[in-house]
Amino acid sequence: MEPDFSAYRLSAEHEAVREAVRAVCADKVAPYAADVDASAQFPQASYEALRAADFHAPHVPEEYGGAGADALATCLVIEEVARVCASTALVPAVNKLGTLPLLLAGSESLKRRYLPAVATGDALFSFALSEPEAGSDPMSMRTRAGADGDGWVLTGVKRWVTHAGVSAYYTVMAVTDAAAGADGISAFVVERDDPGVSFGAPERKLGIKGSPTREVYLDSVRLPAERLVGEPGTGLRTALRTLDHTRITIAAQAVGIGQGALEHATAYVKERRQFGRPVADFQGVQFMLADMAMKLEAARQLTYRAAAASERDEPGLPFLGAAAKCYASDVAMEVTTDALQLLGGYGYVKDHPVERMMRDAKVTQIYEGTNQIQRVVMARQLLRG
């Protein structure tokens, strides 16, 4: 029997996605990346470019007006956008994070009410799980949702919400039964214009400055019953299942950031001359580049493998998603740091994009679960057999 090696390469359709996204990014995203970082403003022009090409929320199924991209194609979109602008890459990544709870557990009416606007780009969708005193420990959340007639009333504060204030919709986790522990947390869709919803000042961040991060304040926000995502008490399970899938998009973002830094550093050392010869001629530099490229390719393949597991909803997804996110983000931080080193003093100034890429890479080790939490997830999966 002849072996089938097709699984070890991208399909023609996936390669076409990569080429299309790369073309859009070269022309309409990369030129704005430095200004987006410097101004710390949402990348509206880049967003419109992604929207025009249907890359802003590629995961939304066709039945809701979306492109229906699979998990791997979505990762390819995010990887290629992150290669030139990590802030803009959060547009498709966070749209998936915010809407996936609806796709996993929401009613059909809820999907049909909210997903079409995301598919067309008329609305962004965010995810609100963390709180000031509940980051890695979601069981400590204090946001409450009390039953009120045929609806709910939410009160609390959510922190580290990406695109807060820009997004029209939010998946919000809240305690509905404090005595039930993990089974007492429910998920709701909150709209930006709901009475009682407000936002804190934008966080002043090290990187991904073009992606606004703010607190979301919920002051007796009254919601109709149909805004509940799934059954009462299933919110935490939905959130954790969502993260199993979406951590892979952060891995893809990390791979893209690292690839962009590697390409810039490689071009630089070929042009830069010291001691009468190109810096690329020195073996120490060549070894650095080889290690960077090797680790990036390993991270990329692990990410693609995890994306395949996500698409098939494999039992091993929790391990693979955590492994891809953890390894790829660690590699991105290492590669961008080494890329900056290869540029020397030039790498430390904003005339070159590598210092921005290094700052952007850091957060991939933190959000959607710190890499310490990813190792806990992996260890638990191993110990469970």
Side-chain angles (χ1 to χ4, degrees), residues 68-82:
D70 61 31
L72 178 53
T74 301
C75 281
L76 292 171
V77 170
I78 293 166
E79 178 187 341
E80 287 301 321
V81 179

Side-chain angles (χ1 to χ4, degrees), residues 321-381:
K325 189 269 186 190
C326 184
Y327 184 72
S329 58
D330 282 350
V331 166
M333 195 69 236
E334 180 180 346
V335 166
T336 54
T337 301
D338 284 348
L340 191 152
Q341 186 72 21
L342 287 171
L343 268 68
Y346 291 103
Y348 203 70
V349 298
K350 294 183 182 295
D351 295 339
H352 294 268
V354 173
E355 63 85 29
R356 164 170 52 86
M357 293 172 174
M358 187 181 76
R359 289 186 285 106
D360 289 342
K362 183 59 194 175
V363 77
T364 64
Q365 296 179 303
I366 298 171
Y367 57 17
E368 295 209 25
T370 66
N371 282 4
Q372 287 70 33
I373 291 295
Q374 304 311 314
R375 289 173 167 87
V376 170
V377 171
M378 286 185 280
R380 285 177 177 170
Q381 294 297 311

Side-chain angles (χ1 to χ4, degrees), residues 72-96:
L72 178 53
T74 301
C75 281
L76 292 171
V77 170
I78 293 166
E79 178 187 341
E80 287 301 321
V81 179
R83 181 172 155 268
V84 298
C85 182
S87 291
T88 304
L90 284 168
V91 168
V94 175
N95 270 335
K96 182 167 184 176

Side-chain angles (χ1 to χ4, degrees), residues 84-359:
V84 298
C85 182
S87 291
T88 304
L90 284 168
V91 168
V94 175
N95 270 335
K96 182 167 184 176
L97 176 63
T99 58
L100 197 58
L102 276 67
L103 289 167
L104 292 174
S107 66
E108 187 61 26
S109 62
L110 204 61
K111 296 173 189 176
R112 295 203 173 276
R113 177 171 177 176
Y114 291 107
L115 295 181
V118 179
T120 60
D122 292 330
L124 294 172
F125 212 126
S126 291
F127 183 83
L129 174 63
S130 295
E131 298 185 2
E133 301 301 324
S136 296
D137 177 19
M139 291 294 296
S140 296
M141 74 172 62
R142 299 177 181 177
T143 297
R144 295 291 188 265
D148 183 66
D150 60 352
W152 302 85
V153 176
L154 274 63
T155 299
V157 178
K158 291 297 179 179
R159 176 166 278 185
W160 313 124
V161 181
T162 305
H163 295 160
V166 176
S167 290
Y169 309 134
Y170 303 79
T171 298
V172 176
M173 305 298 159
V175 177
T176 49
D177 185 353
D183 293 326
I185 296 173
S186 302
F188 300 86
V189 175
V190 172
E191 299 183 9
R192 179 178 55 201
D193 297 331
D194 285 333
V197 175
S198 60
F199 305 94
E203 301 287 354
R204 300 170 60 198
K205 299 176 298 190
L206 175 71
I208 56 166
K209 292 184 177 182
S211 178
T213 304
R214 303 166 74 179
E215 287 188 327
V216 177
Y217 304 126
L218 307 164
D219 184 9
S220 298
V221 178
R222 189 174 300 274
L223 303 178
E226 57 265 25
R227 298 272 201 95
L228 180 70
V229 181
E231 296 298 320
T234 63
L236 184 59
R237 290 197 295 276
T238 297
L240 296 178
R241 189 177 170 209
T242 293
L243 292 171
D244 285 340
H245 290 273
T246 60
R247 282 173 178 144
I248 303 162
T249 67
I250 303 306
Q253 182 191 31
V255 170
I257 295 169
Q259 185 65 38
L262 173 63
E263 291 173 3
H264 192 84
T266 301
Y268 179 86
V269 298
K270 289 164 68 176
E271 296 294 329
R272 175 69 168 169
R273 298 181 68 85
Q274 291 288 272
F275 306 103
R277 49 201 292 214
V279 173
D281 284 354
F282 295 99
Q283 190 179 63
V285 169
Q286 294 174 2
F287 282 6
M288 287 180 68
L289 291 171
D291 283 342
M292 292 158 70
M294 175 177 63
K295 292 174 183 177
L296 265 176
E297 187 59 24
R300 178 178 290 108
Q301 295 304 318
L302 179 55
T303 299
Y304 294 176
R305 170 66 184 93
S310 171
E311 187 65 25
R312 294 189 287 258
D313 201 16
E314 294 180 15
L317 175 61
F319 176 88
L320 287 168
K325 189 269 186 190
C326 184
Y327 184 72
S329 58
D330 282 350
V331 166
M333 195 69 236
E334 180 180 346
V335 166
T336 54
T337 301
D338 284 348
L340 191 152
Q341 186 72 21
L342 287 171
L343 268 68
Y346 291 103
Y348 203 70
V349 298
K350 294 183 182 295
D351 295 339
H352 294 268
V354 173
E355 63 85 29
R356 164 170 52 86
M357 293 172 174
M358 187 181 76
R359 289 186 285 106

